[in-house]
């Protein structure tokens, strides 16, 4: 709690907190309705519950059992339809079949307010993925038609019968349409991110091939001329010196071409550092858990976060005695957050991190390495508008957290830190 208060008290902490809240709200909106969204609709059963409590539904115990069975099956359909593990199985369909049977029994048995269970049944049908498409349309037409006929048969009149049938069809169709739209948006966003990452990887592959061709040609020329110098030096010193001058000229030209080729390009992406982190942690007997979500990052932000991953993993491998290390990168359109957590020893002594401050664990080599340690990284992230914090994670463990605005970071600063 104290740590949260320190963070909020830091300059810009309140603004960052509001930004995080807005980000979480936007994320919830993007995900669409959840299973709890459909529970308030059970208030439509209020009329049937009132009739049961007042004894107007006939057999009170039978009506109560019907209400209990309907509610249990309705919740089962909703929760299984939104469960990532169960939604693509047949369990939601089985639960929906049982819910249909109970709905028909209580509506035909008691009539009146109990016909409002048909729109609830239709709403639950719209959440079942196995019914999406043509099958759902056929099912809703049959269900709404049956609800209207049964309602008219019980004496609700033409308009009451039409209202029940129309409400039943509309409930399921709107639910299925909204959920399908959110699923489509999610798939499109994931596809866009994958295409962007693929384009970046293709560009990196193209660049590596160009660089290989450039260096291969240049080094071949240097080797040939060096061999010529070795052969000519004992017999013709002037010719050997001419070849040496050619080597110097070729080298200078190669340096110019390489600078032009790598202008604006930062070697060593965050993905590369994450792969290296997995390898280093595996080699040290530490279980790596790496998660990454969000759109591709600019090269500058990737370079800064790559250094954070490298330094954090180095501390974990050398000094923590951890058995598990988790690295999570979450990005949106505005900010990116990297969290590295291990279950090893925390810092010795006070070691409490101030908000926006960071340093390596006491006694480590990186503590005094201002250019490449966490202290130097904290300064560079602060210059880029970000933060770097570290501190104990619960009773046991250590956490390093870096946040950056997307597009932040000065490549010159990153390269200076690397040197």
């Amino acid at each position: 709690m104290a740590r949260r208060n320190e963070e909020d008290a830091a300059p810009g902490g309140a603004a960052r907190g509001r930004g995080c809240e807005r980000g979480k709200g936007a994320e919830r909106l993007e995900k669409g309705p959840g299973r709890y969204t459909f529970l308030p609709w059970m208030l439509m059963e209020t009329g049937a519950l009132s009739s049961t409590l007042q004894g107007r539904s006939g057999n009170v115990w039978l009506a109560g059992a019907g209400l209990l069975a309907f509610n249990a099956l309705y919740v089962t359909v909703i929760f299984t339809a939104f469960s990532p593990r169960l939604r693509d199985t047949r369990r939601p369909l089985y639960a929906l079949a049982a819910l249909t049977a109970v709905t028909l029994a209580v509506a035909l048995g008691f009539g009146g307010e109990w016909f409002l269970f048909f729109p609830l049944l239709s709403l639950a049908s719209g959440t079942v993925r196995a019914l999406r498409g043509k099958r759902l349309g056929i099912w809703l037409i049959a269900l709404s038609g049956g609800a209207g006929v049964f309602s008219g048969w019980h004496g609700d009149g033409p308009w009451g019968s039409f209202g029940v049938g129309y409400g039943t069809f509309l409930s399921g169709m709107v639910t299925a349409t909204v959920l399908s739209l959110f699923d489509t948006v999610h798939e499109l966003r994931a596809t866009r991110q994958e295409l962007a990452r693929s384009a970046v990887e293709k560009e990196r592959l193209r660049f590596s091939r160009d660089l290989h061709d450039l260096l291969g040609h240049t080094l071949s020329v240097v080797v040939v001329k060096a061999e010529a110098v070795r052969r000519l030096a004992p017999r013709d010193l002037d010719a050997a010196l001419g070849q040496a001058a050619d080597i110097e000229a070729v080298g200078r030209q190669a340096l110019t071409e390489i600078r032009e080729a790598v202008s604006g390009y930062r070697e060593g992406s965050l993905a590369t550092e994450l792969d290296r982190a997995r390898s280093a942690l595996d080699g040290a007997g530490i279980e790596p858990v790496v998660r990454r979500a969000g759109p591709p990052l600019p090269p500058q932000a990737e370079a800064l976060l790559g250094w954070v991953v490298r330094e954090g993993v180095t501390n974990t491998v050398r000094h923590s005695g951890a058995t598990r290390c988790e690295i999570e990168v979450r990005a949106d359109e505005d900010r990116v957050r990297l969290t590295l957590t291990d279950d090893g020893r925390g810092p010795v002594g006070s070691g409490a991190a101030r908000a926006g401050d960071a340093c390596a664990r006491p006694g480590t080599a990186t503590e005094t390495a201002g250019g490449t340690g966490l202290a130097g990284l904290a300064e560079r992230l602060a210059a880029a508008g970000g933060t770097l914090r570290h501190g104990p994670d619960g009773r046991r463990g250590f956490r390093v957290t870096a946040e950056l605005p997307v597009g932040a970071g000065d490549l010159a600063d990153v390269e200076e830190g690397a040197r």
Side-chain angles (χ1 to χ4, degrees):
M1 189 68 181
R3 182 175 166 192
R4 165 60 71 85
N5 292 337
E6 290 176 357
E7 292 180 359
D8 291 342
R16 284 195 299 272
R18 290 192 296 269
C20 291
E21 291 175 0
R22 287 194 295 268
K24 291 178 181 178
E27 184 178 355
R28 284 194 294 268
L29 288 175
E30 289 176 358
K31 288 182 178 179
R35 56 189 178 182
Y36 296 106
T37 307
F38 296 91
L39 297 185
W41 291 100
M42 297 170 67
L43 292 174
M44 293 175 63
E45 305 172 13
T46 303
L49 177 62
S50 177
S51 297
T52 300
L53 295 178
Q54 296 175 11
R56 290 187 284 107
S57 296
N59 191 321
V60 176
W61 292 104
L62 189 59
L67 271 172
L68 183 61
F70 181 90
N71 289 331
L73 289 171
Y74 177 84
V75 172
T76 300
V77 172
I78 298 298
F79 276 56
T80 54
F82 281 92
S83 170
R85 185 171 57 89
L86 301 176
R87 62 189 180 190
D88 293 323
T89 66
R90 303 189 69 85
R91 290 191 183 182
L93 283 175
Y94 295 149
L96 184 64
L99 181 65
T100 303
V102 171
T103 303
L104 288 172
V106 296
L108 295 178
F110 300 109
E113 299 88 349
W114 295 82
F115 278 102
L116 293 179
F117 283 31
F118 278 103
L120 282 174
L121 171 62
S122 177
L123 188 144
S125 301
T127 65
V128 178
R129 290 173 175 265
L131 281 179
R132 299 278 174 88
K134 185 177 180 179
R135 284 180 293 183
L136 178 64
I138 296 174
W139 166 248
L140 291 180
I141 291 174
L143 184 62
S144 59
V149 170
F150 293 145
S151 176
W153 181 51
H154 270 260
D156 281 351
W159 286 110
S161 175
F162 174 78
V164 170
Y166 179 73
T168 299
F169 181 82
L170 196 63
S171 298
M173 187 57 65
V174 170
T175 299
T177 302
V178 171
L179 293 179
S180 297
L181 285 175
F182 275 103
D183 288 344
T184 302
V185 169
H186 179 73
E187 291 174 2
L188 289 175
R189 184 176 292 108
T191 302
R192 184 182 64 182
Q193 294 175 4
E194 187 61 31
L195 288 174
R197 289 194 181 114
S198 177
V200 170
E201 293 301 325
K202 288 180 179 179
E203 178 62 19
R204 285 175 178 156
L205 179 60
R206 182 201 63 78
F207 179 83
S208 65
R209 287 173 177 170
D210 292 346
L211 192 61
H212 175 270
D213 294 341
L214 172 64
L215 292 178
H217 170 74
T218 302
L219 293 177
S220 297
V221 172
V222 169
V223 169
V224 170
K225 289 188 173 292
E227 291 176 349
V229 170
R230 179 173 53 82
R231 290 195 307 268
L232 293 173
R235 305 192 307 269
D236 189 346
L237 184 58
D238 291 338
L241 291 175
Q243 295 292 334
D246 289 344
I247 292 177
E248 181 181 0
V250 169
R252 292 183 183 277
Q253 180 63 28
L255 286 175
T256 301
E257 293 177 352
I258 290 174
R259 288 193 185 102
E260 293 175 353
V262 301
S263 178
Y265 178 79
R266 178 68 171 103
E267 183 181 5
S269 65
L270 179 59
T272 301
E273 291 298 336
L274 291 175
D275 290 338
R276 291 174 180 171
R278 287 192 189 95
S279 178
L281 292 169
D282 277 331
I286 302 174
E287 178 188 357
V289 179
V290 179
R291 292 185 287 267
R292 183 172 182 179
L297 302 175
Q300 295 87 344
E302 286 222 343
L304 285 170
L305 295 179
W307 277 103
V308 175
V309 171
R310 179 179 296 186
E311 292 299 326
V313 169
T314 298
N315 284 344
T316 297
V317 170
R318 290 182 177 177
H319 312 290
S320 71
T323 60
R324 178 185 174 91
C325 180
E326 296 185 9
I327 305 173
E328 183 176 15
V329 181
R330 298 188 67 86
D332 55 27
E333 299 297 329
D334 299 321
R335 295 188 69 84
V336 56
R337 180 186 179 96
L338 184 148
T339 305
L340 189 149
T341 309
D342 64 52
D343 59 356
R345 295 184 295 271
V348 179
S350 61
R354 295 183 301 273
D357 190 16
C359 59
R361 288 170 176 153
T364 66
T366 58
E367 187 178 21
T368 57
T372 57
L374 289 177
L377 285 173
E379 294 176 1
R380 279 183 279 149
L381 265 71
T387 58
L388 181 67
R389 302 183 181 88
H390 86 276
D393 182 47
R395 294 184 179 179
R396 176 176 172 82
F398 197 77
R399 172 174 293 184
V400 176
T401 302
E403 288 192 39
L404 271 178
V406 173
D410 187 348
L411 188 57
D413 292 340
V414 176
E415 292 175 346
E416 181 66 24
R419 290 194 292 270

